[in-house]
Amino acid sequence: MPGWIKVLCGCVMVAVLSACAAVPRISDDLTPAAYDFAQRLRWKDFNGAARYFDDADKKHAFVDVFAEMRDLQITDVRVETIDLDAGGQGATTRMTLEYFLLPSVSVKTFAFELDWAYAGLKPKAAETWFIASPFPPFP
């Protein structure tokens, strides 16, 4: 095989592999969204965290739960796992929230799961992933 054909084949292979590597995966946006939600919850930015919920009722319910707990002190929020479903359009996150309620200084742990759904190119969607499940009852 002549040398120029080898060079041409090499260039074509590099171009094809580069194009495949540049295609973003749907799940690439989920991890930063889940960690941003956890960070906003950790810093008690409940309105900022609420923007991840898919409808107004869930957003208001989430904010109302925490608005009533003025003595709540959050010490940590961790994303434990992110499990993408087979189709890649949904996921479940498991999170842990450590907190105490004044005047107590005993740290308690609240483990919970949230179901996320991919918004895709949904018009007026603030995020590409949103929380599809309501926030679980706080203990």
Side-chain angles (χ1 to χ4, degrees):
M1 185 179 320
W4 67 272
I5 293 179
K6 290 180 184 178
V7 171
L8 180 63
C9 287
C11 290
V12 168
M13 286 178 42
V14 168
V16 168
L17 292 175
S18 297
C20 291
V23 175
R25 294 179 311 197
I26 292 173
S27 62
D28 289 347
D29 292 336
L30 176 58
T31 300
Y35 278 91
D36 184 59
F37 175 81
Q39 182 177 6
R40 289 176 185 277
L41 192 54
R42 164 68 183 93
W43 292 108
K44 296 169 68 171
D45 177 11
F46 303 124
N47 289 317
R51 74 182 184 157
Y52 286 99
F53 287 92
D54 64 346
D55 68 43
D57 291 339
K58 290 176 191 170
K59 290 177 185 185
H60 294 306
F62 173 77
V63 171
D64 290 346
V65 164
F66 290 103
E68 296 172 4
M69 299 194 306
R70 299 194 186 279
D71 294 332
L72 175 68
Q73 302 299 313
I74 299 174
T75 60
D76 192 21
V77 179
R78 293 183 306 276
V79 177
E80 302 292 348
T81 62
I82 299 175
D83 297 322
L84 202 62
D85 70 9
Q89 299 293 310
T92 300
T93 58
R94 286 171 192 77
M95 298 184 176
T96 302
L97 185 147
E98 293 181 354
Y99 68 99
F100 60 94
L101 288 167
L102 294 173
S104 173
V105 292
S106 298
V107 175
K108 298 177 183 175
T109 301
F110 173 41
F112 59 95
E113 291 184 359
L114 293 172
D115 294 326
W116 294 71
Y118 182 66
L121 300 175
K122 192 177 194 179
K124 298 183 182 176
E127 303 296 333
T128 55
W129 283 89
F130 60 88
I131 301 171
S133 60
F135 194 79
F138 200 83

